[in-house]
Amino acid sequence: MKKERLDKVIASQGLWSRNDVKNMIKRGEVSVNGVVVKDSSLKVSYADDIKINGQSLSQTEYVYIMLNKPKGVVSASEDKRDKTVVDILPDELKRKNLFPAGRLDKDTTGFSLITDDGDFAHRILSPARHVDKTYIAQVSDKIDVENAKKAFADGVVLGDGTVLLSAELELIDDSERQTFKVVIKEGKYHQIKRMFASLGTSVIELKRVAIGGLALDPDLQEGEARIITENELKLIEK
Ligand code: URA
């Protein structure tokens, strides 16, 4: 198991600065496996029982956050012009090295998964792993549903010649503006917009509602975020 300096492990939980942590350790406020430790450089792992003033540090090596992304926010860790999905997280969820696992367009809303676990992100984004991404898309001009279903199932060929993996399409609202549920297994640039464009219509509203078997929490308002539990995390890769 990976070992890190004690002060680094505590500071990585995002509650105190590294300097604050060093001072807490000097003052004898920190114990590891029941023994008070005054050396910040002691190497510990995430399996060690670290207590601060007798309170267990609830520490996880990595964090996984579900954000209901609003429009106007970019899927990045930092941006010179726009607010990012990491900027809008509440302070208690912020920690170093967070990034969105996959990009939603600036005008797309819904489930943005933010983590500091690079291997996990790689796994869920890899087309070879086939983790479904489910979207609700409203389009401008009516299309023939059966024809569209077949085109999506066969694998749409984009304007630049890219052949997409098979995708599922279901009509969920047939009013003047049709609304569809779309399930894709990869995440090419503007993929859903380009898939519908290939059928001669435009996406006017797009929301991601699930990643793998984990649905966006309906209690999360746009702009709100919460931690993904361990059990929920398993649903993503199921
Ligand atoms: N497909 C798109 O076109 N945009 C997104 O944000 C996500 C999928």
Side-chain angles (χ1 to χ4, degrees):
M1 186 167 295
K2 194 173 79 183
K3 288 207 162 207
E4 300 261 27
R5 287 175 57 110
L6 177 61
D7 54 355
K8 188 171 174 210
V9 167
I10 299 176
S12 74
Q13 306 307 304
L15 300 170
W16 305 274
S17 71
R18 189 86 171 251
N19 264 341
D20 288 346
V21 172
K22 283 191 174 145
N23 288 328
M24 285 153 53
I25 294 171
K26 270 196 207 136
R27 290 197 297 267
E29 295 174 12
V30 175
S31 69
V32 177
N33 302 327
V35 179
V36 171
V37 171
K38 293 200 170 180
D39 176 6
S40 289
S41 70
L42 178 80
K43 291 281 174 57
V44 292
S45 84
Y46 288 86
D48 285 314
D49 177 26
I50 300 171
K51 287 201 168 94
I52 294 152
N53 290 318
Q55 291 264 47
S56 279
L57 181 71
S58 78
Q59 44 156 349
T60 48
E61 186 165 12
Y62 297 115
V63 72
Y64 309 88
I65 297 168
M66 175 190 287
L67 166 74
N68 185 354
K69 177 191 169 304
K71 287 187 183 182
V73 171
V74 295
S75 288
S77 305
E78 287 178 4
D79 193 84
K80 287 207 173 73
R81 257 199 345 229
D82 292 304
K83 278 220 180 314
T84 71
V85 287
V86 173
D87 293 333
I88 66 165
L89 291 177
D91 283 346
E92 70 274 13
L93 295 185
K94 279 191 184 152
R95 56 151 94 182
K96 269 193 292 172
N97 302 329
L98 289 176
F99 63 91
R103 299 174 83 85
L104 293 179
D105 297 336
K106 194 171 165 183
D107 59 355
T108 300
T109 60
F111 191 169
S112 171
L113 197 157
I114 298 161
T115 185
D116 51 359
D117 182 347
D119 288 344
F120 170 81
H122 187 257
R123 283 204 306 278
I124 66 163
L125 295 174
S126 160
R129 297 272 181 156
H130 290 194
V131 174
D132 289 346
K133 321 283 180 321
T134 306
Y135 292 83
I136 303 296
Q138 189 178 47
V139 298
S140 58
D141 299 287
K142 279 213 177 220
I143 52 174
D144 179 272
V145 178
E146 287 316 308
N147 177 43
K149 270 190 182 172
K150 182 166 185 322
F152 277 28
D154 288 350
V156 169
V157 183
L158 298 176
D160 63 2
T162 307
V163 183
L164 298 177
L165 295 174
S166 174
E168 291 165 38
L169 183 72
E170 185 190 335
L171 180 68
I172 55 172
D173 184 353
D174 198 15
S175 39
E176 193 184 337
R177 291 262 156 96
Q178 290 168 313
T179 302
F180 295 93
K181 181 166 117 181
V182 189
V183 184
I184 59 175
K185 297 187 188 305
E186 53 198 330
K188 301 252 187 290
Y189 180 66
H190 292 332
Q191 181 166 331
I192 297 216
K193 291 174 184 163
R194 291 158 79 200
M195 287 167 84
F196 279 103
S198 76
L199 301 172
T201 189
S202 307
V203 172
I204 49 176
E205 288 291 336
L206 188 60
K207 177 175 186 172
R208 181 154 69 190
V209 292
I211 300 178
L214 180 61
L216 176 66
D217 182 341
D219 289 337
L220 281 183
Q221 303 301 309
E222 280 185 15
E224 289 183 348
R226 70 160 173 82
I227 294 284
I228 294 172
T229 66
E230 267 177 49
N231 282 339
E232 287 177 330
L233 204 59
K234 291 184 198 139
L235 294 175
I236 292 182
E237 292 186 86
K238 233 180 191 173

